[in-house]
Amino acid sequence: MVAIRCSIRMEVPLGQTGELVVSPEYVRYLVRTANCKMEANKKRMDQFLDLLQTKGLSGSSGLLNNCNGSNRHKGAKKNDEYLVNKGTNGGNNCDADDRGDSEIGKGSLEAQYFETQDSTWSKAVEHGLGNAKRFTLEKLPQNKNCHLSTAALKISGEPIEKLFLWGQSSCVFTVGGEQQVLTFGGFGGPGRHSRRNYSLLLDYKSCLLKEMIIKESPSPRMGHTLTSVGNSTYVIGGRGGPSEILDDVWALQSTENTWLRLECSRDIFRPRHRHAAAAAASKIYVFGGLSNEGVYSCMNIFDTKSKQWRMLTAAGEWPCARHSHSLVSYGSKLFMFGGHDGQRALNDFYSFDTTTLRWNRESTNGGTPSPRFSHCMFIYKNYLGILGGCPITENNQEVTLLNLNHGVWFSVSIPLLSQCLCVRSSSVVIEDDLVILGGGASCYAFGTKFNEPITVDLHSVESMFNVDDNKFGMLIQSCDVMSTVDLSGDEQNGIIGHDMKSQNDAGSGGFTNSGPLVLQLEKKYAKLAKDILKKFGWLDLARKVRVSHDNSHVLFPVNEAFHVLSDEHIKMEHDDPCALGESLAFTEKKLAGDNLSLLNALKMLSSCNGSFLKDELAISRKPSKSPQTVMKELVSSLLETKGMPSRLLEQLPTRWETLGDIIILPKTCFKDPLWESVSEELWPLVAKSLSAQRLARQGKIMPNGTRDSTLELLLGDNGWVTHHENGIRYSLDATKCMFSSGNRSEKLRMGQLNCRDEVVVDLFAGIGYFVIPFLVKANAKFVYACEWNPHAVEALRRNVHDNNVQDRCMILEGDNRVTAPKGVADRVCLGLLPSSECSWVTAVKALRVEGGIMHIHGNVNDSDETRWLDNVVESISNIAKAHGKNGLSWNVSLEHVERVKWYGPHIRHLVVDVRCRPI
């Protein structure tokens, strides 16, 4: 075995770092063992240390000494021992939304995922944020009742915009014996979006929304928790601003409708947001969360009777630090799923027993939900459900249900969810209904979206899984044998983008000198073996569990640590089934808890009569390399050949965009003048690493009237490219015209309008960004397209022809203030940024005397939004009055405000729909 050098962050206490020379698999084992009481396990540790020394592994004793001095896992821990500092997290900035009030604006963790999911989001938007597939249970017997009906809530009373929130929290609240939904806080709301402190009551049956009138309320916040205990509801923590992380506790009495800030005692509860909370008996359990210092992995308990906090000391397999996860109660147990650890999205599933105070990582079967955070989780009878979250995949438009009696996951696709973006939403179960409130997102790529409230009828869930125990037992056995292990690394993140790394770049996994190994066992031992291998970290997560060709054995990919241990203690030989001692009577009780020793685990596996085999499938597959790795290797070789400094490698791109078949590099890469001397050899190498035919580098859009592109073509004959979006074909010369993918949501919205009998005038047509959606999707009767950039006009002519709408479009080349028609339009589009005010007079003249609608674009500081909207209405009214000799008698009003995207810090791209009606 070849020892490698690695750095370990110790789990106990969190934050300590040790450095040693040892294989990663042995390190995992040592850390697990160090989490036990050292005195009780000293003999076992000494035995294992002797084993390490016989294998020639150095540095082991130093790690053990560190662990001996830190015997705290089952004893009391200090708060900061549960805190993973952000400075050591790496990866995504887990609190990046400090950059603006949007909270999920550009720079936030969610926005980073959305930006890297451009292709996924494009497909999702095209199909309505997800494909609404039919619900199927492939391994279950046929069942006729397989549909969960959904309905959008038609809100009355308070404006529905008060529910346009994300990061809020909701729970059941009883009023006059009737259960309603209480929602508090969140970001969004009517007018200018901000953090709120509404206390909203929704009667989901009548759809009546009321705001509770309360003298004193918790301060505006988001990322808090709202938990009901008896007749009281408690708000804990949250985030009031970029530097305002809260630790307060407020209680609302259902009988008095009064918020009261509680004075809490005993242990300190550190400020946090994006934590999770659930109640059992009279206590509220809070796990994890995020602060300005880092991510928590502590469990705090708030006793609602004594008003005291205490830090929990618990046994079992303690979950890692995380935020944006979910926690629900089920009897005396709590269940926790997913979240984000500061580097990646998680899909681990834990239970916590509130009577024994013990964590357990649950082993389940079926289709485990994909890694996610900022999702919803709920309990309905004997089922646990998970929906939504980030990263967005087609599966996020499903509800994934876990049968808690049998431990099997199933997914139910719900059509109405395909229209939602359930990120940072709330879900509440009342009787047989699941009420989903709030959620959405905002980032540069697709703008802002809030979800409307919906309900899901859950009453048919039980009938879907009404099968007898024998059939379910066969199902579970089948799932155990055929299921694959969880993915690791970037595959867990679920990000579809160009900055992913191949899992094979990280290390050799289970590859020994003789190649990768699998442990072959009979099917009847599959579940037992899988549980043990996963428990001790011996399963190689980089490869899949599979079944042998004769379908009689299961092949478990194992890592080098297990092979060495087995060879030492059990003498299993390669390619030769082992004949090992007496068989044991295996029961689930023997695997319960952390009492199973290393030696007993090996003995239990040895009695399964298994054998080590070379993993021929893995050997035959050439490990793939990430594009970044290939690029670095190729360019590094070029620099070495030319005698150029290796520091230039720092300028290699880590991200890029795709427009048609052109790969567009960021303008910050390859900026050193030295690159020019090797450009002829450099660009083909970069293109080869990215599998690109053409290569370009981004530049600034020229701030002139024609908005010329400065895209620099690095490799290729010309810049003409075809891009497909929302079912529409756009062609353009990318070196001469700009293409804004960030307007995708607004192009989609324009295409969803009903313009069948309307004449539209687009004063800034460009290559047809909105002209084509008006014609192809909205079925406009006729469109006048005004554009003065000759390069854009050339592309526009091609695009109307390629989309077969040339007979309903007239292209008017030149300044729209001269060329635009007058008195013909039912609708005028003014899609110019940063402001289209130069053509507001032209737009008023283009409308018919009877009025119509104007879609006015502009970049607006978020603090000036109200003033800008008022100015738009006032200006259009004044222009109309001054039009012609007698003016136009119009009533000008705002019909809709679309917040498309953040254009920059605190600068938002807005589109306001202005309705002009005759008085």
Side-chain angles (χ1 to χ4, degrees):
M1 177 175 62
V2 179
I4 63 172
R5 188 171 184 82
C6 61
S7 181
I8 304 300
R9 184 188 299 130
M10 295 290 293
E11 286 290 329
V12 183
L14 280 171
Q16 282 194 357
T17 300
E19 197 167 65
L20 67 158
V21 180
V22 69
S23 69
E25 289 76 22
Y26 278 105
V27 170
R28 293 191 193 103
Y29 172 77
L30 288 170
V31 173
R32 282 192 180 86
T33 310
N35 288 339
C36 303
K37 290 184 177 179
M38 300 303 297
E39 291 300 324
N41 295 281
K42 189 175 186 301
K43 182 178 180 182
R44 187 199 323 171
M45 295 299 292
D46 290 340
Q47 291 175 345
F48 194 78
L49 179 57
D50 292 339
L51 172 63
L52 293 176
Q53 290 173 344
T54 61
K55 293 298 176 183
L57 295 172
S58 62
S60 308
S61 59
L63 177 60
L64 296 183
N65 290 334
N66 284 341
C67 297
N68 264 316
S70 308
N71 179 21
R72 301 180 183 176
H73 187 67
K74 293 186 180 179
K77 296 186 182 182
K78 298 178 182 179
N79 254 335
D80 55 1
E81 291 174 358
Y82 289 92
L83 183 69
V84 177
N85 292 328
K86 286 195 288 190
T88 60
N89 281 344
N92 291 308
N93 181 357
C94 54
D95 200 22
D97 51 6
D98 283 343
R99 302 178 186 179
D101 286 342
S102 73
E103 299 286 346
I104 308 187
K106 182 177 179 183
S108 76
L109 181 58
E110 284 83 359
Q112 291 173 27
Y113 275 76
F114 295 143
E115 295 291 356
T116 56
Q117 283 185 286
D118 187 68
S119 59
T120 298
W121 178 255
S122 177
K123 295 176 183 177
V125 170
E126 185 174 341
H127 298 289
L129 296 176
N131 295 320
K133 305 172 185 175
R134 292 186 177 181
F135 167 54
T136 59
L137 297 177
E138 296 180 356
K139 295 180 186 289
L140 276 176
Q142 292 292 328
N143 199 307
K144 296 180 180 179
N145 298 318
C146 58
H147 177 66
L148 295 182
S149 61
T150 58
L153 298 180
K154 305 299 182 182
I155 299 299
S156 61
E158 295 289 335
I160 190 174
E161 286 79 11
K162 286 197 172 183
L163 289 176
F164 288 172
L165 304 163
W166 55 61
Q168 78 291 343
S169 191
S170 304
C171 68
V172 176
F173 193 80
T174 304
V175 180
E178 293 291 328
Q179 290 186 323
Q180 299 187 22
V181 181
L182 171 65
T183 298
F184 178 82
F187 180 88
R192 180 191 173 190
H193 297 157
S194 62
R195 297 172 188 85
R196 305 293 184 178
N197 64 342
Y198 305 136
S199 297
L200 300 171
L201 272 181
L202 174 63
D203 184 336
Y204 78 100
K205 293 181 179 178
S206 67
C207 299
L208 179 63
L209 179 66
K210 296 181 180 179
E211 181 178 354
M212 300 174 66
I213 306 301
I214 301 175
K215 292 184 179 180
E216 184 179 7
S217 293
S219 59
R221 66 190 66 200
M222 64 183 300
H224 54 286
T225 57
L226 189 67
T227 312
S228 290
V229 179
N231 292 325
S232 298
T233 302
Y234 297 85
V235 164
I236 298 176
R239 187 169 184 261
S243 59
E244 186 184 0
I245 312 301
L246 306 170
D247 62 355
D248 50 355
V249 180
W250 292 74
L252 174 65
Q253 299 290 336
S254 61
T255 55
E256 301 176 7
N257 286 358
T258 302
W259 282 107
L260 176 66
R261 179 165 183 168
L262 304 181
E263 295 296 330
C264 306
S265 59
R266 200 174 167 181
D267 291 348
I268 296 176
F269 178 75
R270 296 293 178 89
R272 69 196 66 195
H273 64 114
R274 291 183 179 240
H275 50 287
S282 61
K283 296 180 175 62
I284 299 176
Y285 297 78
V286 178
F287 185 85
L290 187 61
S291 73
N292 286 333
E293 286 71 42
V295 188
Y296 287 101
S297 68
C298 53
M299 174 73 95
N300 299 83
I301 303 178
F302 180 68
D303 191 322
T304 60
K305 293 182 178 180
S306 64
K307 308 297 185 291
Q308 291 184 338
W309 280 109
R310 71 183 177 97
M311 173 75 75
L312 183 67
T313 57
E317 187 174 354
W318 197 284
C320 68
R322 67 192 63 208
H323 66 85
S324 308
H325 50 295
S326 55
L327 188 70
V328 295
S329 61
Y330 179 70
S332 62
K333 277 192 172 184
L334 308 180
F335 288 103
M336 185 173 74
F337 179 84
H340 200 282
D341 66 359
Q343 293 182 339
R344 61 180 182 176
L346 306 170
N347 71 335
D348 47 3
F349 183 53
Y350 286 87
S351 67
F352 178 80
D353 193 316
T354 60
T355 57
T356 63
L357 303 183
R358 187 178 191 85
W359 281 106
N360 180 54
R361 182 159 181 168
E362 293 289 330
S363 178
T364 55
N365 299 288
T368 304
S370 60
R372 66 188 70 191
F373 60 97
S374 298
H375 54 281
C376 293
M377 186 161 71
F378 61 91
I379 292 287
Y380 173 69
K381 297 184 178 179
N382 294 321
Y383 297 89
L384 179 147
I386 293 175
L387 61 90
C390 185
I392 297 173
T393 66
E394 290 184 358
N395 292 336
N396 282 61
Q397 310 313 318
E398 300 174 339
V399 173
T400 306
L401 297 167
L402 174 68
N403 185 304
L404 293 169
N405 291 334
H406 299 279
V408 179
W409 292 99
F410 299 96
S411 295
V412 182
S413 292
I414 299 181
L416 193 56
L417 280 185
S418 66
Q419 305 302 319
C420 300
L421 185 60
C422 294
V423 177
R424 304 194 79 176
S425 303
S426 301
S427 63
V428 176
V429 174
I430 300 180
E431 298 178 354
D432 291 323
D433 291 303
L434 173 67
V435 184
I436 303 173
L437 299 177
S442 174
C443 76
Y444 285 9
F446 58 85
T448 301
K449 177 177 176 60
F450 290 99
N451 292 335
E452 295 192 3
I454 65 172
T455 61
V456 180
D457 188 350
L458 300 174
H459 83 274
S460 59
V461 167
E462 286 189 297
S463 62
M464 292 181 183
F465 306 101
N466 185 21
V467 294
D468 60 55
D469 290 338
N470 290 333
K471 291 179 179 178
F472 234 115
M474 294 173 62
L475 168 65
I476 294 172
Q477 183 180 5
S478 174
C479 290
D480 282 334
V481 173
M482 300 300 294
S483 63
T484 58
V485 299
D486 297 337
L487 296 175
S488 61
D490 290 310
E491 286 191 355
Q492 274 192 329
N493 282 338
I495 303 175
I496 299 177
H498 300 300
D499 56 348
M500 292 177 59
K501 295 182 179 180
S502 169
Q503 65 181 18
N504 293 314
D505 292 341
S508 60
F511 287 69
T512 66
N513 292 334
S514 59
L517 299 175
V518 293
L519 175 63
Q520 177 178 273
L521 296 170
E522 294 179 47
K523 274 189 174 183
K524 61 183 178 181
Y525 300 124
K527 186 177 190 319
L528 171 74
K530 184 186 74 173
D531 291 343
I532 295 177
L533 292 172
K534 289 183 70 174
K535 181 180 182 65
F536 285 89
W538 294 330
L539 200 63
D540 183 1
L541 300 182
R543 293 177 286 149
K544 291 183 178 181
V545 178
R546 60 185 191 275
V547 180
S548 62
H549 292 298
D550 60 4
N551 203 36
S552 61
H553 291 79
V554 180
L555 306 179
F556 289 99
V558 292
N559 54 39
E560 187 177 0
F562 176 63
H563 172 241
V564 173
L565 285 172
S566 300
D567 185 56
E568 174 69 20
H569 290 284
I570 308 175
K571 308 297 183 185
M572 298 175 82
E573 299 294 336
H574 296 306
D575 302 321
D576 183 24
C578 57
L580 303 165
E582 301 178 357
S583 61
L584 299 177
F586 303 120
T587 65
E588 291 184 1
K589 293 181 180 179
K590 294 202 174 192
L591 285 176
D594 282 345
N595 296 323
L596 182 65
S597 69
L598 171 72
L599 293 177
N600 285 337
L602 291 171
K603 288 178 180 178
M604 292 173 75
L605 286 175
S606 72
S607 65
C608 295
N609 297 321
S611 61
F612 282 121
L613 302 174
K614 292 181 181 179
D615 191 345
E616 300 295 345
L617 181 62
I619 293 173
S620 65
R621 291 177 176 173
K622 183 179 180 180
S624 60
K625 296 180 180 180
S626 68
Q628 293 95 332
T629 300
V630 175
M631 185 190 305
K632 186 174 182 180
E633 291 177 353
L634 293 175
V635 176
S636 178
S637 177
L638 174 64
L639 295 180
E640 185 177 352
T641 302
K642 299 294 183 179
M644 299 174 68
S646 60
R647 62 174 174 79
L648 292 175
L649 294 175
E650 298 175 2
Q651 298 182 17
L652 265 59
T654 57
R655 298 173 62 90
W656 48 87
E657 299 177 3
T658 300
L659 181 61
D661 65 344
I662 298 180
I663 297 293
I664 303 174
L665 304 177
K667 58 186 177 182
T668 54
C669 69
F670 300 109
K671 295 301 291 182
D672 195 297
L674 289 175
W675 291 113
E676 293 295 329
S677 63
V678 293
S679 59
E680 292 186 6
E681 298 157 280
L682 173 66
W683 303 132
L685 293 179
V686 175
K688 179 180 179 180
S689 67
L690 304 179
S691 300
Q693 299 298 317
R694 291 189 288 173
L695 199 65
R697 183 165 50 195
Q698 188 62 268
K700 292 183 179 180
I701 301 300
M702 298 298 292
N704 53 15
T706 56
R707 305 281 286 167
D708 294 330
S709 171
T710 59
L711 193 71
E712 177 188 3
L713 193 65
L714 303 174
L715 186 67
D717 296 331
N718 64 77
W720 274 96
V721 65
T722 299
H723 177 75
H724 295 271
E725 182 180 281
N726 298 336
I728 292 173
R729 175 187 174 101
Y730 294 98
S731 295
L732 71 153
D733 186 340
T735 64
K736 298 176 180 178
C737 301
M738 63 169 288
F739 185 86
S740 176
S741 59
N743 291 338
R744 184 186 292 114
S745 63
E746 183 61 9
K747 285 177 272 187
L748 180 66
R749 187 173 77 95
M750 292 297 100
Q752 292 173 338
L753 299 173
N754 182 8
C755 304
R756 186 172 298 277
D757 298 319
E758 294 183 352
V759 173
V760 180
V761 173
D762 189 336
L763 294 179
F764 304 96
I767 67 169
Y769 308 109
F770 300 108
V771 170
I772 310 300
F774 276 130
L775 292 166
V776 174
K777 299 292 185 178
N779 297 310
K781 181 179 179 181
F782 198 85
V783 174
Y784 291 94
C786 303
E787 178 55 48
W788 69 2
N789 183 339
H791 303 298
V793 170
E794 182 182 1
L796 178 59
R797 295 188 191 280
R798 177 183 294 195
N799 291 332
V800 295
H801 182 272
D802 288 349
N803 289 279
N804 298 313
V805 291
Q806 65 272 22
D807 59 330
R808 292 185 287 131
C809 180
M810 177 180 289
I811 298 173
L812 304 173
E813 185 172 0
D815 190 334
N816 61 42
R817 290 167 292 191
V818 177
T819 64
K822 297 179 176 62
V824 299
D826 300 287
R827 192 179 300 269
V828 179
C829 183
L830 299 99
L832 179 66
L833 295 178
S835 174
S836 60
E837 191 168 359
C838 60
S839 291
W840 287 2
V841 173
T842 305
V844 169
K845 293 179 179 179
L847 284 175
R848 301 172 60 190
V849 176
E850 296 81 4
I853 296 178
M854 289 186 285
H855 303 287
I856 301 176
H857 293 236
N859 284 345
V860 183
N861 191 296
D862 58 0
S863 61
D864 295 332
E865 181 176 319
T866 301
R867 188 186 317 162
W868 183 78
L869 294 175
D870 291 341
N871 177 64
V872 169
V873 173
E874 182 179 359
S875 298
I876 298 302
S877 298
N878 292 337
I879 293 171
K881 292 176 182 177
H883 182 61
K885 294 182 179 180
N886 301 319
L888 296 170
S889 298
W890 284 350
N891 177 23
V892 180
S893 62
L894 295 181
E895 188 165 88
H896 176 76
V897 178
E898 185 72 15
R899 297 167 179 85
V900 180
K901 64 179 182 292
W902 289 102
Y903 195 84
H906 298 283
I907 303 295
R908 197 195 292 268
H909 175 185
L910 297 183
V911 180
V912 57
D913 299 346
V914 177
R915 171 75 72 173
C916 301
R917 293 185 177 91
I919 298 177

